Amino acid sequence: MDTSMRLILASGSPARQAMLRQAGLICRAVKPDVDESAVKRGFVGEVPALALTLAAAKAMRVAQDEPGALVIGADQVLVCEGEIFAKPGDMADAAAQLRRLRGRTHTLVTAVCVCQGAGMVWSDVAQARLSMRAISDEFIAGYLRAEGEAVLGCVGVYRLEGLGAQLFSAIEGDFFTILGLNLLPLLGFLREAGAIRA
């Protein structure tokens, strides 16, 4: 890594932090102060553009306080038959979301961008399709007991790297994208930018 080029992740997500750390990146994490619900309320456009708008809002918020740094922002939007889902507010909401998603296929759109100074210098948007099994209410209750409140930070109420894999019958898309970061395209950009060794 070129230590003269600082990398900052504009996210409080442990999964995103772990992905970057496991890929060998030295990257400080800063949770951005962005009202996501306000961004969503005022947005007009397609779901991929919404995901990128949210990712950029996070990265730009942190970049304004970190001159010269490459700031990585990411966000995910889950849409199922036209309905956009948000992270659950509590465990009852989590159970309700799983009941609405069971037996259906949804699309998870993940956007990642890199901002430096006052502008975005790179972005990528990817989609995955996930088909959830027709899980029972009993299975949902047991799953939520086992996973605990960690799922409240996950749109769709699942962490595919854990017990969430048991919710699905089929998945189409990149694993990293589903976890919340389009890692391979991001690493490609960082190599081209000289932030990590080629």
Side-chain angles (χ1 to χ4, degrees), residues 171-183:
I171 292 173
E172 302 170 31
D174 178 75
F175 184 69
F176 296 118
T177 294
I178 296 168
L179 294 189
L181 192 65
N182 309 338
L183 184 62

Side-chain angles (χ1 to χ4, degrees), residues 89-109:
D90 55 30
M91 295 304 275
D93 188 22
Q97 283 198 22
L98 287 172
R99 287 193 295 270
R100 291 205 312 276
L101 290 170
R102 66 182 167 190
R104 301 161 81 187
T105 297
H106 65 264
T107 300
L108 189 61
V109 180

